[in-house]
Amino acid sequence: MSEASPKKMGFRSRLASALKPKAGKKLTKEPPPAYDYEAEVLDSLNQVNKAPPTPVQQKKPINFYNKNTTGVQAQTGELWDEAEMLHSFLRRDSFDSLASLDREHRNNRTAWDESRKRGESMIASLPPGLWEHITSYLTPTDHANLAFSCKTFHSIMGPGVFSALNLPENRQYKCDFLLPMDRLYPDHLLCFPCAVYHRRIQKGQERIKHNHTLNPIFNCPNPKLQSKARITPGWTLPFSLVQLAFRAERYGPEYGIPVESLNKRYKCRSSEWTHQTRYYFHKGHLLLRVVSTCFAEGQLPPSMQRHLLYWREDYTPYFSVCAHWRDGELMNLCKCALSHIPPPRAPITQQLKSGPAIHLALRNPKVFISLCSECRPMRRCPECPTEYLIELKLTEDKNDPDPFNRFKQAIVVTRWSDLGDGRSPESPEWKACIQEESSGFDSFKALSRRGLSGTFEAQSGVTIPGQRMLSLNPANVKEGEEGHNWY
Ligand SMILES: [Zn+2]
Ligand SMILES: [Zn+2]
Ligand SMILES: [Zn+2]
């Protein structure tokens, strides 16, 4: 074989010469001058039995990436092995055709069918007392699931297992049995107080509405027992809407509503507060953020601060809070933040009207206010997965007729909560958020250091400034409404 007659070269030789690295390149290996494919393969197969290689033999390729090389190859750790590369293109260890695979599959299936028949007859042949003993260890849910699995089990266990689920004390077990059937009922929704699938009466149009608006999702005889989370005065989030958002996410749009349809921006009907709610799925959980804003004047007396913060109807805060807001420091921190707002701007002419004393600082009060070490840090409720941040922001009041006085200080309270996995109102996060009594949830153990706020804001690419995360209730005193700290 000579360089002068390339047309007579065999395929292997041409490939070998094509793969042959150019002289002068230090990092690649030159193949042996008389390159023999078979010899190369045999060589690589016999590698294991060979005596320790001499320095010349060490140049022989072993595999594509050999990290234990020395010399020139050590610069990259890479050895080029043409034989090994050609082999890797082959389909190894298999001479199967699709037909043979299909035949094998059919044989397996017949074997499985046979074993299945044998299994059923075996179940039926066992003494009924034995099954009674086995099922005595099962919960009513698992008992019903077993009876539901095949005809043999159904006839052994009888219809009693299903009627047992209808007992009032077994309501939760019945819900657990029915819940996996969600995928079969796009037009229905499982009602947890009734443990029944009700037909959705406004399919696809279910939305959050003000509490004064009639907004039934299904016709239920127990509407007052439906679980819901308080968002702001007059607005609640029914658990059934959380269910619908999760169903749409898990099974498709026909099964529920898009999570974006829960987002809302509205003004409170009985105060100057405005709210913006946003929901977002993260790792199978529904996260909620409520940003509540209200313009606030500086140097308010305590009675005015309360007027600004509490709803007169039931003395709850105007902004969004979890069920444990009365314990701990939340309200004191809001009052502390309000106390940092400077008094309103007063030009000297205006100051002179009330007396000869002049305060130069009042001519141009500070615009950017920093809060103190008490009210600035992020706070986490120890009893539920909820975090709070209190801020003062210079905000434009578009309704103010005075164009020189449009930018005012506003108190902004942001709440982030994890509302759980939406499977049941008994899920730990949902229960912890809405239930005032302790549910045993320890948010400092359950949540990561990053916190809900960081997780939530990261989805829109926003990094919130690093804040210390403190407990909302550092003293861990639980007095609820009886406490003196909340008003
Ligand atoms: Zn119902
Ligand atoms: Zn403060
Ligand atoms: Zn809480």
Side-chain angles (χ1 to χ4, degrees):
M1 192 179 312
S2 72
E3 293 286 320
S5 56
K7 280 180 187 174
K8 288 180 185 173
M9 285 166 78
F11 169 71
R12 289 176 196 156
S13 320
R14 271 186 285 146
L15 190 62
S17 69
L19 292 170
K20 182 180 175 180
K22 299 214 167 35
K25 291 207 171 176
K26 277 192 172 178
L27 296 180
T28 52
K29 173 199 168 291
E30 281 189 13
Y35 187 73
D36 187 343
Y37 176 74
E38 268 89 10
E40 191 67 50
V41 173
L42 281 172
D43 206 25
S44 63
L45 285 174
N46 292 332
Q47 283 286 343
V48 186
N49 302 325
K50 275 189 179 173
T54 61
V56 182
Q57 278 173 323
Q58 209 169 21
K59 277 187 174 182
K60 278 197 184 277
I62 297 158
N63 53 29
F64 290 144
Y65 298 101
N66 185 351
K67 305 288 177 201
N68 303 321
T69 52
T70 51
V72 177
Q73 287 79 15
Q75 292 177 33
T76 60
E78 183 181 348
L79 279 174
W80 194 251
D81 184 349
E82 296 86 343
E84 186 64 28
M85 191 177 75
L86 280 170
H87 276 263
S88 72
F89 291 139
L90 293 176
R91 192 177 162 196
R92 293 187 187 201
D93 306 322
S94 171
F95 295 95
D96 292 337
S97 63
L98 279 178
S100 67
L101 278 175
D102 187 45
R103 201 165 45 243
E104 197 180 312
H105 176 69
R106 261 185 283 141
N107 289 342
N108 286 344
R109 227 174 56 181
T110 329
W112 180 71
D113 283 347
E114 279 167 12
S115 69
R116 183 159 169 256
K117 271 178 207 156
R118 281 203 301 276
E120 282 201 324
S121 55
M122 192 191 74
I123 291 166
S125 68
L126 289 172
L130 180 66
W131 286 115
E132 234 168 66
H133 184 71
I134 291 170
T135 51
S136 68
Y137 290 98
L138 300 179
T139 62
T141 309
D142 291 337
H143 203 161
N145 277 329
L146 197 61
F148 200 55
S149 64
C150 68
K151 275 186 184 172
T152 317
F153 271 127
H154 187 264
S155 60
I156 289 172
M157 288 170 195
V161 279
F162 297 113
S163 43
L165 283 183
N166 277 330
L167 296 173
E169 63 267 29
N170 286 343
R171 189 182 53 83
Q172 187 55 45
Y173 291 119
K174 190 181 174 187
C175 289
D176 292 344
F177 174 70
L178 291 176
L179 198 58
M181 299 179 192
D182 245 10
R183 189 184 275 278
L184 304 174
Y185 300 110
D187 297 342
H188 295 74
L189 191 64
L190 181 61
C191 168
F192 286 90
C194 307
V196 163
Y197 272 96
H198 294 312
R199 179 173 271 280
R200 292 161 65 188
I201 53 178
Q202 32 173 336
K203 192 184 168 192
Q205 300 306 311
E206 294 98 342
R207 296 288 181 270
I208 295 181
K209 289 193 179 144
H210 193 270
N211 291 356
H212 291 167
T213 313
L214 202 61
N215 184 27
I217 286 157
F218 36 54
N219 286 323
C220 173
N222 301 309
K224 289 201 172 153
L225 298 180
Q226 300 295 337
S227 181
K228 50 188 174 239
R230 176 194 180 277
I231 303 295
T232 54
W235 294 84
T236 49
L237 173 69
F239 184 76
S240 40
L241 288 180
V242 176
Q243 259 176 294
L244 287 169
F246 270 103
R247 276 162 48 117
E249 174 79 2
R250 286 179 184 140
Y251 310 129
E254 213 197 333
Y255 288 80
I257 51 171
V259 68
E260 298 78 35
S261 69
L262 296 176
N263 299 343
K264 245 184 137 46
R265 185 192 284 261
Y266 56 95
K267 187 182 169 298
C268 180
R269 293 190 183 182
S270 37
S271 71
E272 292 303 310
W273 284 83
T274 53
H275 308 283
Q276 194 186 351
T277 62
R278 230 180 114 76
Y279 297 81
Y280 157 63
F281 285 121
H282 177 73
K283 290 188 179 168
H285 280 224
L286 184 66
L287 306 188
L288 155 75
R289 182 189 66 192
V290 188
V291 185
S292 306
T293 311
C294 185
F295 292 109
E297 285 180 14
Q299 311 299 304
L300 288 176
S303 59
M304 289 299 284
Q305 286 185 346
R306 288 183 176 135
H307 190 79
L308 182 98
L309 296 172
Y310 295 91
W311 190 25
R312 298 287 106 187
E313 224 165 88
D314 63 355
Y315 291 92
T316 53
Y318 278 120
F319 51 88
S320 191
V321 284
C322 66
H324 319 100
W325 65 274
R326 285 191 182 91
D327 295 321
E329 298 296 321
L330 183 63
M331 300 316 288
N332 287 339
L333 297 172
C334 289
K335 290 171 194 166
C336 180
L338 286 174
S339 71
H340 295 300
I341 303 178
R345 185 173 160 268
I348 291 177
T349 45
Q350 197 182 324
Q351 287 186 41
L352 285 172
K353 282 180 195 167
S354 54
I358 294 170
H359 298 281
L360 292 177
L362 290 181
R363 284 191 314 163
N364 273 319
K366 271 201 283 181
V367 173
F368 299 106
I369 304 159
S370 51
L371 298 178
C372 70
S373 61
E374 270 303 300
C375 58
R376 188 177 55 231
M378 188 92 71
R379 296 281 174 162
R380 180 181 288 170
C381 176
E383 304 263 331
C384 75
T386 299
E387 286 165 10
Y388 298 95
L389 181 67
I390 304 163
E391 294 164 290
L392 291 178
K393 281 186 180 168
L394 198 67
T395 312
E396 188 182 6
D397 182 1
K398 288 180 180 156
N399 296 326
D400 196 315
D402 179 4
F404 297 106
N405 203 19
R406 277 209 176 150
F407 282 91
K408 298 170 181 174
Q409 293 295 341
I411 180 167
V412 182
V413 184
T414 311
R415 168 203 178 179
W416 294 268
S417 282
D418 180 348
L419 300 179
D421 62 5
R423 292 201 186 272
S424 143
E426 295 298 311
S427 81
E429 290 84 4
W430 176 267
K431 210 170 154 188
C433 279
I434 66 164
Q435 186 178 293
E436 202 174 322
E437 317 75 77
S438 173
S439 64
F441 192 93
D442 184 348
S443 62
F444 279 89
K445 261 190 196 159
L447 300 177
S448 65
R449 274 187 63 199
R450 188 186 198 189
L452 287 170
S453 42
T455 309
F456 195 102
E457 301 309 325
Q459 47 108 12
S460 49
V462 177
T463 318
I464 47 175
Q467 295 277 6
R468 277 196 304 153
M469 181 75 75
L470 300 182
S471 172
L472 189 67
N473 187 1
N476 253 334
V477 181
K478 289 172 210 161
E479 289 180 301
E481 206 166 344
E482 303 303 314
H484 303 289
N485 233 359
W486 65 270
Y487 188 61

